[in-house]
Amino acid sequence: MGKKALVTGSSRGIGAAAARRLHADGWDVVVHYHESEREALALAAELHTIAIRADVREPDEVEAMFRAVGPVELLVCCAGVADFNLLSDVKEPLWRNILGTNTDGTYRCCREAIPGMVHEKSGCIILTSSVWGRYGASCEAPYSASKAAIIGLTKALAKELGPSNIRVNCVAPGPILTRMLTQYDFIDLDALAQDVPLGRIGRPEEVAELIAFLASDRAAYITGQIIGCDGGYGM
């Protein structure tokens, strides 16, 4: 088996594509899920690995997940949720759910993964922000805020962990064909695609290629970077 990787939110979307791509590169990938058990078990069977459930909003569940998985050489944080609402209509539970999943969940997974990497003086962490974390999106203030925090966390951790030979980078996807875009109808999706210089919505597999590159030795001198995969949307 290859080196061990944990990909959170890997039952579907970008996380699932990343798990498949990393497996193809020889990584021993652990599949993580929260609610999508059927998809996670199917992917785990496909990759000849295990699927483990944890709610990243809950510290005890994240700690239990890492006890079960053990030390990892690669952590890829893809678990995330979104919503489309005016901020004045966002109630406290919705705000806490989005920040709790996207930001706090990422923090908790990093916190658990780091000690083993520091002990080995080796490791790689790849976080997932968004083009909207860089530039903001109307009617997506909680999501934009949660993803902007990931950018700051990436830069801080890269400086903190660099002396231990641990690289930390961040991918910032643009519009990608995942379940998060189901809130848009065909007309809205077409309009969104027209705002992308390449004229189309991206695929999860295209983000997965960037993640695989950042996880590889080809990116051995790259850390602290926020790298877009957005068809030029963020220009």
Side-chain angles (χ1 to χ4, degrees), residues 173-188:
I176 304 295
L177 284 173
T178 68
R179 202 172 298 180
M180 281 189 181
L181 289 188
T182 57
Q183 61 190 321
Y184 297 100
D185 59 24
F186 178 79
I187 295 174
D188 289 334

Side-chain angles (χ1 to χ4, degrees), residues 152-229:
L153 179 62
T154 298
K155 295 179 179 181
L157 281 181
K159 292 179 178 179
E160 185 174 315
L161 299 176
S164 295
N165 194 37
I166 299 166
R167 297 185 297 109
V168 186
N169 289 293
C170 177
V171 297
I176 304 295
L177 284 173
T178 68
R179 202 172 298 180
M180 281 189 181
L181 289 188
T182 57
Q183 61 190 321
Y184 297 100
D185 59 24
F186 178 79
I187 295 174
D188 289 334
L189 284 175
D190 184 64
L192 186 60
Q194 296 308 310
D195 288 336
V196 178
L198 287 181
R200 64 177 177 85
I201 306 297
R203 297 181 291 106
E205 292 77 14
E206 292 171 312
V207 185
E209 288 292 339
L210 175 57
I211 290 171
F213 167 72
L214 290 173
S216 74
D217 290 340
R218 293 169 292 165
Y221 199 54
I222 299 175
T223 194
Q225 302 305 303
I226 316 302
I227 304 177
C229 185

Side-chain angles (χ1 to χ4, degrees), residues 117-141:
M117 294 181 179
V118 170
H119 181 268
E120 295 297 324
K121 294 294 186 289
S122 177
C124 179
I125 297 173
I126 301 171
L127 307 183
T128 306
S129 180
S130 165
V131 68
W132 290 288
R134 302 176 89 172
Y135 305 107
S138 176
C139 296
E140 293 194 59

Side-chain angles (χ1 to χ4, degrees), residues 93-104:
L94 178 57
W95 176 272
R96 287 306 336 149
N97 179 55
I98 294 174
L99 273 291
T101 301
N102 298 354
T103 306
D104 299 345

